[in-house]
Amino acid sequence: MLNKYARAFFTRVLTPFAAFLLRRGVSPDAVTLIGTAGVMAGALVFFPRGEFFWGTIVITLFVFSDLVDGNMARQAGISSRWGAFLDSTLDRVADGAIFGGFALWYAGKGDNNVLCAVAIFCLASGQVVSYTKARGESIGLPVAVNGLVERAERLVISLVAAGLAGLHGFGVSGIDILLPIALWIVAIGSLVTLGQRVVTVRRESAEAEAATGLPGETAPSEPGQREAGAS
């Protein structure tokens, strides 16, 4: 939902910076790799130690690389399937690092097994939510649904809450409760989004099969279609 409205705004804001990097000979792939490395460092160095404010600052500095690299590719006229693949793959790595950092904190000094489990659920469900769309599109379905909590919402909710919770270390009492609340919101929202996408794929699949006259479970298997034991 946020992705639909915010991406166009930030793309316009970051266009001059993307043009500057191109003039300096920086490639979009390099920006993708550096951005992911920065997010991972911010999440896995700071979050497990409970330094949520500084971790969020570092992550925020690098997370916009996801918009900059695509902007650079469009300006340079070098958009490619490889670039799209690399960007999407490393997005999953970055997301895993963020929620993995939360899980490490609650498994260690945070000492809360329930919130550790919630953070792990956020990590796993985020990957599955992304997979359902990619898998649906790979078998020729549009997966035309804007989920309740997609990647942009997961990042904004969790990082804003983490940054504010980090102010507890500067003497702001009681604010650290925001991170657990945010993790529960992301977990529940991701579960709802997963359900929305599964229902959408089921409906679109039935409509496509009805249009071609092929029964869903007896149609011959094609590369990329569901097979027994497939993930």
Side-chain angles (χ1 to χ4, degrees):
M1 294 170 68
L2 280 176
N3 188 56
K4 179 180 178 181
Y5 300 104
R7 180 172 288 270
F9 170 76
F10 283 109
T11 296
R12 290 194 299 271
V13 171
L14 295 171
T15 292
F17 180 61
F20 170 80
L21 292 178
L22 286 172
R23 290 195 298 270
R24 291 292 182 269
V26 180
S27 72
D29 286 355
V31 171
T32 303
L33 291 168
I34 292 170
T36 302
V39 171
M40 291 179 65
L44 297 178
V45 172
F46 292 95
F47 285 176
R49 299 188 300 187
E51 298 178 4
F52 296 117
F53 178 80
W54 294 114
T56 301
I57 293 297
V58 172
I59 291 170
T60 301
L61 291 175
F62 288 97
V63 77
F64 285 105
S65 65
D66 186 45
L67 297 177
V68 173
D69 55 7
N71 195 314
M72 292 171 65
R74 286 189 295 274
Q75 288 191 49
I78 55 173
S79 297
S80 65
R81 291 183 177 87
W82 161 250
F85 169 82
L86 181 66
D87 189 51
S88 295
T89 300
L90 293 185
D91 281 350
R92 307 289 82 75
V93 173
D95 292 358
I98 291 171
F99 289 102
F102 293 143
L104 287 172
W105 162 250
Y106 287 116
K109 291 184 179 180
D111 193 25
N112 191 316
N113 288 337
V114 172
L115 289 176
C116 176
V118 173
I120 292 173
F121 180 83
C122 289
L123 190 164
S125 61
Q127 307 296 319
V128 177
V129 164
S130 298
Y131 174 80
T132 54
K133 185 173 180 65
R135 182 59 171 155
E137 291 175 342
S138 75
I139 58 175
L141 302 175
V143 196
V145 59
N146 290 320
L148 178 64
V149 175
E150 298 181 328
R151 183 173 188 254
E153 286 84 4
R154 291 196 300 271
L155 291 179
V156 169
I157 293 169
S158 58
L159 290 178
V160 169
L164 291 174
L167 295 177
H168 180 76
F170 295 91
V172 181
S173 62
I175 201 167
D176 51 327
I177 191 64
L178 291 178
L179 182 55
I181 292 172
L183 289 175
W184 278 107
I185 290 173
V186 171
I188 295 170
S190 295
L191 186 61
V192 171
T193 303
L194 177 60
Q196 289 176 303
R197 290 192 173 179
V198 169
V199 169
T200 298
V201 169
R202 176 61 179 165
R203 174 178 52 79
E204 291 176 347
S205 176
E207 291 172 352
E209 288 155 2
T212 58
L214 292 175
E217 298 302 325
T218 59
S221 177
E222 298 288 344
Q225 290 184 337
R226 182 175 62 185
E227 299 176 358
S231 60

